[in-house]
Amino acid sequence: MAKITQKEYEQMHAQYARMEAYDQWSTPYTTDNAITVDKDYQFQPKTAGFKVGKGIVKFLLRTMLPVANKLLFDLKIEGKDNLKQVDNAIRVSNHVMLLDAMINFQVAFGHRHYITGAEFQVKKGLGGKFLRAGGFLPLASSIKAMSNLDKEITEIFDKGNSVVTFYAEQVMWEKYQNSRPLKKGAFHYAVKNNVPVVMTVILFRKPNWLRRKLGVKKDCTVRICAPIYPKQELSAKENIEYLQKAVQETYDRTICEFYGYDYDLYDMRLTPLENKYVSQGLIDKEQTLLTKPNDNALRQSVMLKMAQNRSASKQPTYDEIELEDDILEFYDFDEAEDDALAGHRA
């Protein structure tokens, strides 16, 4: 199977976002060799052997992950106190990398941590055993299995100092720099167990000079947002809707603040670059939504207009130079694209 490039991912995501098909899979996966998660599946077995294995896996994760995350992502974590201040919590994370579980495990250090995901990820053999011992809880299609998971999560919170992480967008979009709608499932568990929801957002930043020379395209910052609690005066249904809306707003605002989008103009249907240009007043939001997403053409059009404006005014202003630098750095370009766009400066 041919490797999918990041640009091809971005094109797929742009098309899906325009169609508001935010839960479409873009990353290949296989159900081969997967364990069946049915009514007899034990999420966290009570046997002595499993407990010993779990202790070993947790030790390995705690000792190895900080080193691995530093080397792979130069990981920075902001807002640690927001998670430290809570006992139990449902944690919601955006799903933007194949290895973002590594980041999410480290973010939850200090709590007992469990993470949910698709049932096909639990494979037969050592890998599946390692995943289960690390606290992986598969979301099954079986109604009885999901009922058992419901009970398992309640037992987890009964122990205290526990965090259960959900990828509430449902599917992974590689290195995506917009938010997507959060589904209700995670908030059901928060309301049922009367625990807060903590949104953690994985964000991508430009690597330092050395890491760029080593071929690193994006490094990671994780922002842990303030916990949001269910309201005692609301019914269960109302609380689920309240938490879903409040956490979504927190997520959207975090994305806008980090990437420089205008929150009042931000729209998930736009590509990250389009949101950037809309916030800077370079393109019209409503007109852009009527077109098919094409970031390459959009970049060239914007740079050409800037070059024409500069020719008319003879000298570029400081703001124009800063804006061009921002445009060139916002997306990863091939060297040929860098040269072509930078040529407008001449």
Side-chain angles (χ1 to χ4, degrees):
M1 181 182 295
K3 182 180 179 181
I4 301 175
T5 67
Q6 183 58 38
K7 287 187 179 180
E8 289 171 330
Y9 277 127
E10 289 165 2
Q11 290 168 359
M12 281 191 288
H13 300 156
Q15 293 168 3
Y16 289 151
R18 272 293 201 276
M19 296 185 296
E20 300 184 63
Y22 300 105
D23 55 1
Q24 287 291 317
W25 283 94
S26 62
T27 307
Y29 69 90
T30 176
T31 59
D32 294 346
N33 206 36
I35 291 175
T36 301
V37 181
D38 56 18
K39 62 182 179 63
D40 298 319
Y41 180 84
Q42 293 184 311
F43 290 91
Q44 294 286 282
K46 305 298 189 292
T47 64
F50 180 80
K51 291 179 180 178
V52 171
K54 183 175 180 176
I56 294 173
V57 169
K58 293 288 188 181
F59 173 78
L60 291 174
L61 291 173
R62 288 180 180 276
T63 54
M64 297 173 62
L65 279 184
V67 177
N69 286 332
K70 185 65 178 177
L71 291 174
L72 290 172
F73 313 118
D74 191 24
L75 181 62
K76 296 180 180 180
I77 303 175
E78 302 175 352
K80 291 182 180 180
D81 288 344
N82 286 327
L83 193 57
K84 287 181 179 179
Q85 67 177 273
V86 301
D87 179 23
N88 294 321
I90 291 292
R91 188 161 67 97
V92 171
S93 171
N94 57 333
H95 199 4
V96 288
M97 285 195 303
L98 186 62
L99 298 178
D100 54 23
M102 293 172 53
I103 292 174
N104 279 318
F105 271 110
Q106 182 177 340
V107 170
F109 281 177
H111 288 79
R112 297 186 182 90
H113 182 233
Y114 302 83
I115 189 166
T116 64
E119 60 182 324
F120 63 77
Q121 293 177 279
V122 185
K123 307 293 187 182
K124 297 175 183 177
L126 184 60
K129 292 178 180 178
F130 187 93
L131 200 61
R132 188 189 294 195
F136 184 79
L137 305 173
L139 301 170
S141 54
S142 163
I143 295 176
K144 180 59 178 177
M146 287 303 293
S147 176
N148 291 338
L149 175 61
D150 198 292
K151 296 174 184 176
E152 186 74 38
I153 290 177
T154 297
E155 290 181 14
I156 287 170
F157 286 137
D158 285 344
K159 297 175 183 176
N161 194 41
S162 297
V163 168
V164 179
T165 296
F166 283 80
Y167 291 117
E169 294 165 325
Q170 187 171 320
V171 300
M172 192 266 285
W173 282 13
E174 183 74 18
K175 293 183 174 63
Y176 195 56
Q177 296 185 21
N178 273 357
S179 58
R180 286 180 284 155
L182 303 173
K183 296 183 179 298
K184 290 184 178 181
F187 309 109
H188 157 79
Y189 291 105
V191 173
K192 182 179 185 298
N193 295 284
N194 194 31
V195 299
V197 179
V198 177
M199 183 74 212
T200 59
V201 188
I202 299 173
L203 304 153
F204 298 101
R205 67 179 193 276
K206 183 178 179 181
N208 61 35
W209 176 86
L210 176 59
R211 288 178 62 80
R212 291 201 303 274
K213 289 297 182 183
L214 293 173
V216 178
K217 297 293 186 181
K218 296 287 182 182
D219 279 329
C220 293
T221 296
V222 175
R223 187 166 294 179
I224 306 173
C225 303
I228 300 176
Y229 291 80
K231 293 185 175 182
Q232 299 303 317
E233 68 272 18
L234 298 180
S235 67
K237 180 180 179 181
E238 291 170 336
N239 252 322
I240 290 171
E241 292 174 352
Y242 159 70
L243 289 174
Q244 184 183 28
K245 182 178 179 180
V247 175
Q248 184 73 60
E249 181 179 349
T250 297
Y251 180 20
D252 295 346
R253 287 188 180 278
T254 301
I255 287 287
C256 290
E257 179 182 333
F258 189 87
Y259 292 121
Y261 309 149
D262 184 325
Y263 178 76
D264 293 328
L265 297 175
Y266 173 68
D267 196 305
M268 292 183 193
R269 295 170 294 174
L270 297 173
T271 69
L273 189 63
E274 287 168 343
N275 271 311
K276 189 85 166 181
Y277 285 173
V278 166
S279 68
Q280 293 168 340
L282 296 172
I283 60 176
D284 179 78
K285 172 181 170 180
E286 298 304 326
Q287 289 182 353
T288 302
L289 286 170
L290 297 175
T291 66
K292 292 182 179 180
N294 186 337
D295 280 353
N296 286 333
L298 182 61
R299 277 193 294 259
Q300 293 170 7
S301 173
V302 169
M303 293 295 287
L304 179 60
K305 289 179 181 178
M306 292 174 64
Q308 291 171 342
N309 291 339
R310 178 177 306 149
S311 177
S313 61
K314 295 184 179 180
Q315 289 295 328
T317 65
Y318 174 79
D319 287 341
E320 288 174 330
I321 295 174
E322 187 176 43
L323 178 57
E324 279 196 13
D325 291 337
D326 193 29
I327 292 171
L328 290 170
E329 291 178 1
F330 186 70
Y331 263 50
D332 292 328
F333 297 107
D334 294 331
E335 289 184 5
E337 288 177 320
D338 276 333
D339 293 342
L341 288 177
H344 287 296
R345 296 173 184 235

